[in-house]
Amino acid sequence: MARIELDRVAKRWGDVTAVEPTDLAIADGEFVAVLGPSGCGKSTTLFMLAGIYAPSEGSIRFDAAVVNDVEARHRNVGIVFQSYALYPHMTVAKNIRFPLRFRGVQGADAERRVREAAALVRVDDLLERMPGQLSGGQQQRVALARALVKEPQLLLLDEPLSNLDATLRLAMRSEIKTLQRKLGVTTVLVTHDQIEATTMADRIICMAKGTIQQIGTADDLYRRPASLFVAGFIGSPPMNLVGGEAAGGRLRVGDRDLEVSAASGPVVLGIRPEHLTLGAPGMPGEVVDVEPMGREALYVVDTPLGRIRALAPAQATGPRIGEGTTFRVDDTDALLFDAASEALLPDARIGFGP
Amino acid sequence: MKTLVADETPAAPALQSQAHWDGLAARGRRDRQVRSGLLVAFLVTVSLPILLPYFWMFTIALSARTGGVESIVLWRACAILVPAVVAIGALNLVLHRPMAKLYGASAVIVLAGVAIAWSIGPELHLDNFAFLSNPNFVQDLEGRRQATVESQFPSVWTAFFNSLVLATVQTVMVLGVSTLAAYYLSRFNFAGRASFLQALLVLHAFPAMTLIIPIFLMMYWIGLLDTLTGVILVITTLELPFAVFIMKGFFDAVPWDIEMSALSDGASRRQAFWYVVLPQVRVGLLAVGVFSFIKGWEEYVFVRTLLFDKQNWVMSLYIFWVSEDIMGVDYGAVAAVAVFYVMPSLLLYLFCQKYLTQMTLGGIKG
């Protein structure tokens, strides 16, 4: 178990910067998710923690000791790869035992630890099988056992669930989370799936274009996204983002003038689809499309603010395509971003009127 | 399914009778049998010209007597074996249960064996294989007396041993160098990597024959002329570009992930290569090994150019001089030497083909 610190860590490949100088601290035993679209530098960060890539600048510290030049094999870091990366020519038992041979653990001691690790992820009845004979979920568990058998001070999970089918993903999500709580191992999960990040991790690090956009709990990222990127990336269906111009206490969006405070110049108005109340007295709109999604339905509505998506309970009596409707937005639910810096204007208040 | 039926019989009624479906099913079965029958016939026709010379070589080696070429044994054997093969093929098509197929095939094989023993059994003999124990056999065949020192052949076992050393050492060197070079080319980026790969291809396309005179001169100056070492070095060098290229393909197919995984599991770069990467390319190692062994075993042009001393003869030179010295006298002896020569590569191929044809790398992804 270790406390991990990144101090101005950056990675460059020639002229290309994969990770801009980054500061980060992960507490001992914490479960952190690095969330971002592909190419945002999250895997590079992971491989720098593992010691497979050396950072171009800055320092990585495990428990206050700088480990920049410590080789991957000496870092005692467990990794579960997206492809699981099991050794195809070894049985499950030999796969799990592989890390032990380099730690001088032998004989009955090694046997016992392999069995314990296998039992932990419930693959102890598969020990003599070859990886090719296992299902995706079983391979995933074996990879986890192999990462845990060395009692790592840091566990890295690189998109561990993306090759599983939906049902299995749901099961493994809670299983990994429970296991991490039980063992108390510091864990970094890299993923592009916000559900994975929000359901499993204590804290989420949202990355884009090689920089950290925001660090916080799932709730923080959802309620107070620090930038336009986080606002658009977190939440499904995504937040409505409409451009506007603020001047002298008025905000011009579409052909509506709204009240605004603490904002001026070009801005972006953000409203989550679930914060629009369809049918309540307020602004008029016309339903362009309805997408039923089971419990709820997504309404695409043309409003004076522009085209907006609204999430409402699916009901037979709801407005149909082509019909007019009205909607209301609570003033506290709307967010305002600066269009130039893409940052949240935290003090801005919007009034949608009666 | 319905549209398919409608396409074929436009006037078909909407409700098909059972008889209609049965008819279609019978037609499907018949078509399948005709197709597989045609395929077997085609494959047999194509492989006959390849198999016949080998078969002929074996029959001559086992049946020819001094002074003449008897083709009657070949024709008799063919007259029995061809119907036997056709019969087995036909039984396979007609019979359906595996046990029935097995019994049918065994019956045909026993019948053919009896027929062969009866018709050509008395013609078969091993006299042509006298060369295995008698180094003076060429003179004996020609009715000359004891050979002079100059015309005395070396023992065939000397040539066999030389060939074995040449092929084995060459194979080991090719495997060692090409594996390391290909791994480096596959995994590391260095200045000139792209042009190195292009040069490999050009080298492989370059006809080696054109190099004979320069290589001869180089061997002479270095002092390796008329030594096995020299020939081994030359053939290894000529084999390497192709071997490196093949091995690089195999290394490229090994995912980075398992190597990174080995590194984080505590292996050094070398241990990761040895314990994790190398086992993934064992099919490639086997393929390159078999091909370079056979290449070394069959090499003729360079050994003919670079080796003179009789004690340095390899099998290809041995068979050349046997046919040179007794051509027109005894095809049986030449064919017998040929059978002896072809055996090791044939056995090697039979042993390895099982592994070479199942080119699976095992499951890495789920």
Side-chain angles (χ1 to χ4, degrees):
Chain A
M1 318 302 130
R3 177 184 149 70
I4 313 294
E5 283 165 322
L6 270 65
D7 187 9
R8 308 301 296 160
V9 168
K11 181 66 187 172
R12 294 192 180 80
W13 308 100
D15 297 335
V16 185
T17 305
V19 177
E20 303 280 358
T22 296
D23 292 319
L24 180 64
I26 302 167
D28 188 4
E30 195 180 13
F31 195 150
V32 166
V34 183
L35 176 65
S38 42
C40 73
K42 57 188 194 299
S43 288
T44 310
T45 310
L46 184 96
F47 287 140
M48 284 196 286
L49 286 173
I52 290 165
Y53 298 159
S56 308
E57 59 183 69
S59 57
I60 298 175
R61 289 195 292 272
F62 285 12
D63 283 333
V66 177
V67 295
N68 277 26
D69 297 329
V70 178
E71 282 182 60
R73 58 182 168 137
H74 296 134
R75 284 200 191 183
N76 198 21
V77 167
I79 312 185
V80 175
F81 289 86
Q82 180 175 6
S83 64
Y84 316 137
L86 298 178
Y87 311 125
H89 59 293
M90 299 182 194
T91 61
V92 167
K94 288 198 176 121
N95 260 287
I96 301 176
R97 195 178 174 146
F98 189 76
L100 296 178
R101 80 192 296 167
F102 304 107
R103 287 170 171 70
V105 184
Q106 282 167 340
D109 199 23
E111 292 286 331
R112 182 181 53 75
R113 281 177 66 172
V114 167
R115 266 201 314 280
E116 279 173 7
L120 205 59
V121 293
R122 294 187 278 112
V123 291
D124 36 347
D125 50 341
L126 304 172
L127 285 176
E128 293 316 311
R129 301 260 200 104
M130 299 303 279
Q133 300 169 315
L134 303 181
S135 72
Q138 290 168 334
Q139 293 191 21
Q140 161 89 78
R141 289 160 198 274
V142 174
L144 207 52
R146 187 181 61 186
L148 291 173
V149 76
K150 50 188 163 186
E151 288 162 9
Q153 50 178 339
L154 174 62
L155 179 65
L156 302 175
L157 309 171
D158 185 13
E159 308 261 5
L161 305 178
S162 58
N163 283 343
L164 300 179
D165 60 57
T167 328
L168 208 51
R169 199 176 303 175
L170 206 70
M172 283 309 288
R173 228 155 61 189
S174 65
E175 202 163 317
I176 292 177
K177 191 174 168 181
T178 316
L179 201 60
Q180 193 271 341
R181 291 271 144 76
K182 187 166 134 192
L183 300 176
V185 56
T186 313
T187 304
V188 177
L189 165 77
V190 160
T191 180
H192 63 265
D193 181 351
Q194 48 172 308
I195 309 287
E196 249 172 66
T198 52
T199 51
M200 291 165 78
D202 302 325
R203 268 195 314 157
I204 298 172
I205 299 158
C206 191
M207 276 186 92
K209 296 177 205 134
T211 52
I212 292 181
Q213 301 283 320
Q214 187 172 5
I215 303 177
T217 63
D219 206 48
D220 292 340
L221 267 62
Y222 181 78
R223 288 188 195 287
R224 305 293 291 170
S227 70
L228 263 182
F229 174 82
V230 181
F233 192 73
I234 305 280
S236 171
M239 183 184 274
N240 294 297
L241 296 169
V242 207
E245 185 83 30
R250 307 297 293 173
L251 172 62
R252 183 85 186 160
V253 180
D255 41 9
R256 271 298 163 108
D257 260 337
L258 307 173
E259 289 172 27
V260 73
S261 64
S264 66
V267 292
V268 176
L269 173 66
I271 310 165
R272 293 215 177 267
E274 53 270 42
H275 291 154
L276 288 150
T277 317
L278 273 191
M283 254 180 260
E286 188 194 330
V287 177
V288 181
D289 191 16
V290 183
E291 297 173 14
M293 301 190 303
R295 195 164 54 83
E296 288 163 323
L298 188 67
Y299 293 85
V300 184
V301 188
D302 271 342
T303 72
L305 303 175
R307 183 163 287 189
I308 276 179
R309 285 158 198 279
L311 205 58
Q315 42 186 283
T317 57
R320 302 201 187 138
I321 298 174
E323 286 181 359
T325 183
T326 54
F327 67 93
R328 183 170 53 83
V329 184
D330 282 335
D331 297 352
T332 50
D333 288 335
L335 298 167
L336 212 56
F337 301 89
D338 187 82
S341 70
E342 301 197 345
L344 179 73
L345 299 169
D347 302 322
R349 291 284 172 272
I350 303 146
F352 286 91
Chain B
M1 200 64 208
K2 206 148 202 172
T3 56
L4 197 97
V5 173
D7 281 349
E8 279 182 353
T9 51
L15 254 174
Q16 305 290 3
S17 66
Q18 183 61 42
H20 177 82
W21 291 116
D22 286 348
L24 284 180
R27 199 169 91 195
R29 274 197 298 276
R30 205 168 52 240
D31 285 356
R32 247 195 326 275
Q33 271 182 1
V34 168
R35 264 200 302 277
S36 64
L38 284 177
L39 182 67
V40 169
F42 170 76
L43 290 177
V44 168
T45 319
V46 173
S47 32
L48 261 185
I50 303 167
L51 288 176
L52 199 60
Y54 283 99
F55 186 59
W56 204 344
M57 182 179 82
F58 276 97
T59 52
I60 292 176
L62 288 171
S63 67
R65 290 178 197 282
T66 315
V69 189
E70 290 274 349
S71 56
I72 189 71
V73 174
L74 176 72
W75 299 128
R76 275 189 203 162
C78 283
I80 295 163
L81 288 179
V82 169
V85 171
V86 171
I88 290 178
L91 282 176
N92 240 341
L93 284 182
V94 174
L95 300 175
H96 294 297
R97 279 182 299 121
M99 281 315 282
K101 282 183 183 179
L102 190 65
Y103 287 136
S106 331
V108 173
I109 288 170
V110 168
L111 273 179
V114 170
I116 283 179
W118 172 74
S119 69
I120 58 174
E123 308 279 340
L124 300 180
H125 61 89
L126 290 173
D127 295 351
N128 289 327
F129 288 88
F131 70 92
L132 288 175
S133 54
N134 178 11
N136 203 41
F137 80 105
V138 174
Q139 284 70 31
D140 288 354
L141 281 175
E142 291 183 326
R144 288 192 244 137
R145 287 195 309 280
Q146 188 62 33
T148 57
V149 176
E150 293 85 50
S151 68
Q152 169 74 60
F153 268 47
S155 161
V156 70
W157 296 106
T158 308
F160 186 83
F161 181 72
N162 283 344
S163 267
L164 208 59
V165 168
L166 170 64
T168 312
V169 174
Q170 191 247 136
T171 303
V172 170
M173 284 172 67
V174 166
L175 278 180
V177 177
S178 69
T179 304
L180 295 176
Y183 179 71
Y184 201 85
L185 280 169
S186 168
R187 288 297 196 247
F188 293 84
N189 207 352
F190 53 93
R193 178 174 176 272
S195 27
F196 191 92
L197 284 171
Q198 280 161 4
L200 274 185
L201 271 186
V202 172
L203 274 179
H204 178 57
F206 202 80
M209 300 293 171
T210 54
L211 298 174
I212 284 187
I213 292 170
I215 284 178
F216 183 92
L217 292 174
M218 279 166 67
M219 288 292 124
Y220 173 66
W221 287 326
I222 298 169
L224 289 177
L225 204 57
D226 201 13
T227 61
L228 272 183
T229 316
V231 178
I232 288 171
L233 286 177
V234 169
I235 297 174
T236 305
T237 314
L238 293 175
E239 274 290 279
L240 269 179
F242 183 61
V244 170
F245 218 78
I246 295 282
M247 287 311 296
K248 179 183 171 288
F250 277 92
F251 280 118
D252 285 347
V254 177
W256 275 97
D257 281 3
I258 65 167
E259 212 173 334
M260 293 192 197
S261 178
L263 292 182
S264 74
D265 277 348
S268 66
R269 194 87 206 210
R270 196 173 304 152
Q271 284 165 327
F273 173 73
W274 186 254
Y275 292 121
V276 171
V277 180
L278 212 50
Q280 311 309 315
V281 298
R282 57 189 186 277
V283 177
L285 289 175
L286 193 70
V288 168
V290 167
F291 289 137
S292 43
F293 185 90
I294 288 178
K295 176 88 171 104
W297 188 255
E298 70 175 18
E299 178 57 39
Y300 173 69
V301 173
F302 282 96
V303 291
R304 180 88 169 86
T305 317
L306 300 175
L307 298 177
F308 321 118
D309 194 292
K310 288 195 174 87
Q311 292 308 312
N312 284 337
W313 279 6
V314 293
M315 281 306 292
S316 59
L317 289 180
Y318 186 85
I319 196 173
F320 170 78
W321 286 113
V322 167
S323 66
E324 190 84 330
D325 270 23
I326 57 174
M327 186 53 81
V329 178
D330 198 326
Y331 287 109
V334 179
V337 177
V339 167
F340 180 67
Y341 183 22
V342 86
M343 270 309 172
S345 46
L346 203 62
L347 288 177
L348 181 72
Y349 183 72
L350 283 180
F351 178 71
C352 292
Q353 60 136 0
K354 187 174 89 188
Y355 304 99
L356 288 177
T357 46
Q358 54 155 34
M359 291 254 192
T360 55
L361 286 169
I364 292 162
K365 258 186 187 177

